[in-house]
Every structure is written in C-alpha cells, then in structure tokens.
Amino acid sequence: MVTSPSRNVMVVADPTPQSAAALQYALSHALVERDKLILFHIENPNSWRNTLSMLLRRPNHYAVSAPNFVPDGASNTETDFLDQMKRVCEVAQPKIDVRVEKTDMDGKDKATIILSKSKALGIDLIIIGQKRSLSSVILGYKRQNGSVKAAKPIDTADYLIENSQCTCVGVQKKGQNGGYVINSKTHKNFWLLA
C-alpha cells in the first residue's frame, strides 16, 4: 500500500463565518489522514472586536453582572474561537495533528504576514475564507503593479491565490445547503456541492 506524504495545511483562522467555512471545507474535502493542520490567527490590536472584548473583560462595579452575555461577533477571550476550532478539528479528524499559531499584525499587511508565515512553516496548502461584496466582484478590485499602497484594495484571499508559492484556496460558503465556491489559480468560481 502506497501512502501519500503528509502535507502542512494552513487554515487562516479568525472569528468570522468565512473562516468557519474555510475550516469546514478543509475538514471535509482537503485534509487526509497524515496531514498536519495549522490554524493561523493574526491578531489585530486595533480591531474593534479586541476593543469590545477588552471592555467586556473589565469589571464594572456599577453595572449588573451578566457573566454569560457576549454579543455576536465577540468572545470572552481572544482565543476562545481558536480553542473551539481546534476541538472541532480533533473531533472531526482525530488522526490529524492540529496546532495553533498566532502572530501580531505589527503594522504589516495581512496577506504579507500569511505569505511569510506559510513559507517559514513549509506550508503546502493555504485555505482562507473569502467574503465577496457585489462591488468587488463587479469592479474587480486589484492593486496596481502589485503595490500594497494602491488606491483600490484587493481581497486578501485573491492576493494569496495569485502570489503564494504553495497552493491557495479561497472558500465561500453558499448558504446552508448550497456547498462552496472555490477560488484558486486553476479554479475560478468553481462550485463544489457539500
């Protein structure tokens, strides 16, 4: 019996539905038994979610205590969603080695950080959740000459797909039962039914 070599697979992890869809796709369609999964999270200290989390963690002596109240999109701690994602992986794919990697933005572009980390870790496959607005699909925003400081923004997933040395897949979940739209260098808007 011939076994395939193990791969290092990175899922870009953040507390969004797009990231959850990327993880779901990885667990159901991309990972095989000997693969290593890295859940990679980039912490943004300027994020409104981090600010909201900090406010919720501060004790307020004048307010009524509500220990289990956490608004949608926020978490009790910054790593709650990472712990939950890791547990889901361990249940869904118990033979896969799962680890969490975190880094700060430090004023850098998210895509640049992901590319750098993927190279340092020897990643074979990057899977990232992708949200497309109607305007970006119609207008096709791209950086001019690859410049990071161009006037028109580019979707992080699109940038990774075009510039990563390894295979990169952008995943969009299409409704509750509609499957996925997969974007990569070889497949643009490719439908995959769940």
Side-chain angles (χ1 to χ4, degrees):
M1 181 176 157
V2 177
T3 59
S4 61
S6 66
R7 299 174 304 162
N8 292 325
V9 178
M10 174 188 284
V11 172
V12 179
D14 52 49
T16 63
Q18 294 79 26
S19 183
L23 181 61
Q24 185 178 16
Y25 170 80
L27 291 171
S28 61
H29 298 292
L31 293 166
V32 294
E33 191 172 293
R34 295 172 25 117
D35 287 345
K36 295 175 184 147
L37 176 62
I38 295 103
L39 300 174
F40 182 55
H41 175 62
I42 302 170
E43 295 177 347
N44 183 355
N46 298 325
S47 169
W48 67 269
R49 283 193 175 117
N50 290 339
T51 303
L52 186 59
S53 294
M54 289 301 294
L55 290 173
L56 292 172
R57 278 188 255 167
R58 284 194 191 134
N60 186 345
H61 302 290
Y62 304 107
V64 176
S65 176
N68 293 326
F69 173 74
V70 180
D72 290 342
S75 62
N76 283 324
T77 66
E78 181 62 27
T79 57
D80 278 349
F81 76 93
L82 289 170
D83 292 337
Q84 290 171 1
M85 289 177 108
K86 186 174 181 182
R87 278 190 298 252
V88 165
C89 295
E90 290 167 346
V91 169
Q93 296 271 359
K95 294 183 180 182
I96 292 189
D97 178 30
V98 181
R99 75 176 205 240
V100 173
E101 291 274 337
K102 294 189 286 185
T103 191
D104 290 326
M105 286 196 77
D106 292 328
K108 296 178 188 170
D109 182 62
K110 184 176 180 178
T112 304
I113 295 169
I114 294 168
L115 288 176
S116 174
K117 192 67 164 184
S118 68
K119 189 173 183 180
L121 294 174
I123 299 297
D124 300 300
L125 172 63
I126 300 171
I127 302 173
I128 183 169
Q130 190 170 23
K131 180 178 182 179
R132 292 230 173 157
S133 67
L134 182 59
S135 62
S136 68
V137 171
I138 293 170
L139 299 175
Y141 287 140
K142 296 284 181 189
R143 286 189 181 111
Q144 298 164 348
N145 301 327
S147 169
V148 175
K149 297 184 179 192
K152 294 180 180 178
I154 184 173
D155 179 67
T156 301
D158 286 335
Y159 183 82
L160 292 172
I161 289 166
E162 294 299 322
N163 296 290
S164 67
Q165 293 178 351
C166 64
T167 302
C168 181
V169 176
V171 177
Q172 298 174 52
K173 179 98 172 164
K174 291 309 234 180
Q176 294 292 337
N177 301 330
Y180 305 93
V181 175
I182 306 301
N183 291 302
S184 68
K185 280 187 182 178
T186 56
H187 296 94
K188 297 290 182 194
N189 296 318
F190 174 74
W191 277 85
L192 177 67
L193 299 176

